[in-house]
Amino acid sequence: MSLFRAEWRRLLKRRFIRYLVLAGVLVLVLIAAGMFLTNHKVGPAQVANAEAAAERDYRENLRFTEQERVACEAAKASGTADPNRFPANCADIQAPPREAFSAEWHMPATFEFRKEFPPILTALAAILGMVAFVAGASFVGAEWSSGGMMNLLLWRPQRLKVLLTKLAALLVGFAGLTMLASIGWTAAFWLIGTQRGNTKGMTSGAWQSLALSELRGLGLVLAIGAVGFAVASLGRHTAVALGGAIGVVIVGQFGVGLVLSMANVPFIERYLLPTYLIAWMNKSITLENWNACNNSYNGSCEPTRFDVTWQHAAVLFGVAVVLSVGLAMWAMRRRDVT
């Protein structure tokens, strides 16, 4: 049996990974089901109901305004008018115009596929990335902690080949899982759009943009899985990778954010990992600093802006993958296997 086939079978037969993938898929199903149940198809009946509700709001406001004007005049006549409640002239109490009561306020939520699906792809990549990180850490961490890595090297005493083949099996598995999940996710939300919203504007260019977003999501999932695998291999235990992830979230996100905020550093978000995740999936993200204004021609305050692009995110993620995997290979080559 080839080494890759052995690692592939080992990956598929690990119950923890199977349950982990099942839990991730269940979360995706629940999200899709929630979106289906909370959105509605908008037709003439829904528009008519919304117009009627807006008209009711307008009539109720007219009645309330008239009551307030009568109360104001009565208070003025008795000399007990409260200046904090009533204006100096009771005639100033006027109801807003009918145009101020929009029917859109009463329209049911409806799913617009072209507008709302791209951000949902970020959620898909984040969930699958988390699953890949934990699975990758467990896949190699369990081998180290149980002594299985030592037994494996007795059969195939080629350290780097064993480690990289194990990593390759993991990445191939999650590449397939991510592609299947992306296809199923797209089909599910297309169904939601047709049944509980609309799918207008889906041109060939729009589909191409979605396909590129899904490819970026695939790259993100594989990068996160590789980092989890490499960190667990470095620490020779699954808990090392999980502890490192918790440390990054607590120290790297909240701690760094708090320190930078106290130091009044502009564009704090550019130093936080979620910014680069969003920039990678959405191609770019614009940060705004309202503490520093660019005066416009009409005298208003325009915040200074900083763009984080997918190229910035690609450099960050690329360095993280190369550095972590490289260190794992170096440690595998130099350290004793006991």
Side-chain angles (χ1 to χ4, degrees):
M1 181 182 294
S2 69
L3 180 60
F4 180 83
R5 187 178 302 175
E7 293 300 332
W8 178 252
R9 291 185 60 183
R10 187 175 286 108
L11 175 70
L12 296 181
K13 289 188 174 295
R14 282 193 58 80
R15 284 182 295 178
F16 176 78
I17 293 179
R18 285 189 291 180
Y19 293 151
L20 183 65
V21 170
L22 181 62
V25 172
L26 179 60
V27 170
L28 296 178
V29 171
L30 291 176
I31 292 174
M35 293 295 292
F36 184 86
L37 295 175
T38 55
N39 285 276
H40 305 275
K41 192 79 171 180
V42 174
Q46 288 75 21
V47 173
N49 291 336
E51 291 287 355
E55 183 66 21
R56 286 195 303 271
D57 288 348
Y58 174 64
R59 297 297 177 185
E60 291 176 1
N61 196 273
L62 282 179
R63 288 193 295 270
F64 176 77
T65 302
E66 184 62 25
Q67 292 173 359
E68 285 294 291
R69 188 183 300 113
V70 171
C72 176
E73 292 173 350
K76 292 285 186 182
S78 63
T80 59
D82 184 358
N84 295 323
R85 178 182 176 185
F86 300 117
N89 186 359
C90 294
D92 292 337
I93 301 177
Q94 296 290 332
R98 174 63 180 84
E99 295 76 17
F101 297 86
S102 175
E104 293 183 0
W105 300 349
H106 303 278
M107 293 289 285
T110 185
F111 185 77
E112 299 181 27
F113 184 85
R114 181 171 184 176
K115 177 182 178 182
E116 299 182 41
F117 184 64
I120 293 176
L121 285 176
T122 304
L124 172 67
I127 293 171
L128 292 180
M130 180 179 64
V131 172
F133 183 90
V134 178
S138 171
F139 187 43
V140 69
E143 295 289 339
W144 282 114
S145 59
S146 66
M149 183 66 77
M150 182 173 61
N151 293 332
L152 180 59
L153 289 175
L154 291 176
W155 170 60
R156 187 63 68 89
Q158 297 170 297
R159 297 185 178 196
L160 294 186
K161 185 175 182 179
V162 167
L163 185 67
L164 292 179
T165 302
K166 188 179 288 290
L167 175 60
L170 174 75
L171 297 183
V172 169
F174 271 91
L177 173 65
T178 303
M179 287 188 289
L180 290 175
S182 297
I183 294 172
W185 193 251
T186 303
F189 279 91
W190 177 261
L191 177 64
I192 293 172
T194 57
Q195 299 297 319
R196 299 285 180 150
N198 65 77
T199 56
K200 298 176 181 178
M202 288 307 298
T203 61
S204 59
W207 281 112
Q208 183 179 5
S209 179
L210 281 181
L212 292 174
S213 296
E214 292 181 349
L215 284 177
R216 288 194 297 272
L218 171 62
L220 181 62
V221 171
L222 297 183
I224 295 174
V227 170
F229 178 93
V231 174
S233 181
L234 275 169
R236 299 193 175 188
H237 204 286
T238 305
V240 174
L242 301 183
I246 294 173
V248 168
V249 172
I250 296 177
V251 178
Q253 297 301 118
F254 297 103
V256 171
L258 179 61
V259 171
L260 295 179
S261 178
M262 294 175 63
N264 294 322
V265 175
F267 304 114
I268 297 174
E269 295 87 351
R270 67 182 293 191
Y271 302 101
L272 304 180
L273 184 59
T275 299
Y276 292 88
L277 296 177
I278 297 173
W280 173 255
M281 292 300 301
N282 297 343
K283 294 188 288 189
S284 67
I285 182 173
T286 300
L287 308 179
E288 296 182 345
N289 179 24
W290 287 92
N291 294 325
C293 293
N294 292 322
N295 293 324
S296 62
Y297 292 110
N298 58 11
S300 63
C301 173
E302 295 291 336
T304 57
R305 292 179 171 86
F306 182 85
D307 291 329
V308 179
T309 66
W310 69 269
Q311 291 92 339
H312 297 138
V315 171
L316 176 64
F317 298 150
V319 169
V321 171
V322 171
L323 185 62
S324 59
V325 174
L327 287 175
M329 293 173 61
W330 175 83
M332 183 71 167
R333 184 179 180 86
R334 293 185 60 86
R335 292 169 62 183
D336 293 333
V337 179
T338 57

